[in-house]
Amino acid sequence: MKKMMIALVAMFVMVMSANAQSDNQSNLSFDRMSNYLELTVNQVEPVKTAMAQFSASMEAYYQLQDSSKSAETWEKIQKRHKETMRRILNEKQYNKYVQIFDLTVHNSAQRMMEGATAAK
């Protein structure tokens, strides 16, 4: 449970820092991801929309009262996002995306844990 909450916080930090980046850097990151996933012209806008919806969900989740925040709610947000991406992407692209997504969550959680340890 503790790891899930740390991962949740890490993911939120990642989303917020992505929002804080300049548009050029955000576009560059998206371009890199779209190249890696080999998105078609018809997939670019739906993926951008899905990413924006995920970001908005994370922001809304962060604003919930502490008693409303739970690993279950985070899992629902994550599951809904992955289902959306599954509808947009083909199987090969989706598998690549899930690897990126899960790795990002893992690495962010790891950095958060290291930061918390260093702060003590």
Side-chain angles (χ1 to χ4, degrees):
M1 179 72 161
K2 184 176 179 180
K3 287 182 181 181
M4 179 59 75
M5 293 309 288
I6 290 172
L8 172 64
V9 170
M11 185 58 130
F12 177 73
V13 168
M14 179 192 68
V15 169
M16 292 305 293
S17 66
N19 287 339
Q21 292 176 351
S22 70
D23 287 337
N24 290 338
Q25 280 192 324
S26 294
N27 288 338
L28 179 62
S29 296
F30 184 82
D31 289 345
R32 287 180 181 164
M33 183 186 73
S34 65
N35 285 335
Y36 175 71
L37 296 177
E38 300 174 16
L39 296 180
T40 65
V41 173
N42 296 332
Q43 290 173 317
V44 172
E45 286 305 316
V47 169
K48 280 185 181 180
T49 301
M51 299 297 288
Q53 289 171 342
F54 178 71
S55 179
S57 294
M58 289 302 299
E59 288 179 29
Y61 177 83
Y62 179 72
Q63 293 176 8
L64 291 174
Q65 298 299 320
D66 288 338
S67 61
S68 301
K69 292 181 183 178
S70 69
E72 182 179 309
T73 304
W74 159 242
E75 289 172 8
K76 286 180 182 178
I77 293 169
Q78 183 180 355
K79 182 180 177 185
R80 185 176 58 227
H81 176 67
K82 285 182 176 181
E83 287 172 355
T84 300
M85 295 301 284
R86 183 183 294 277
R87 286 192 302 271
I88 298 168
L89 304 173
N90 65 37
E91 187 176 341
K92 180 181 173 184
Q93 292 169 320
Y94 178 75
N95 290 334
K96 285 181 173 182
Y97 180 76
V98 168
Q99 286 178 335
I100 293 170
F101 185 83
D102 291 344
L103 184 62
T104 301
V105 169
H106 173 76
N107 288 344
S108 297
Q110 193 70 26
R111 282 193 298 271
M112 291 292 291
M113 288 173 48
E114 290 170 1
T117 303
K120 288 183 180 182

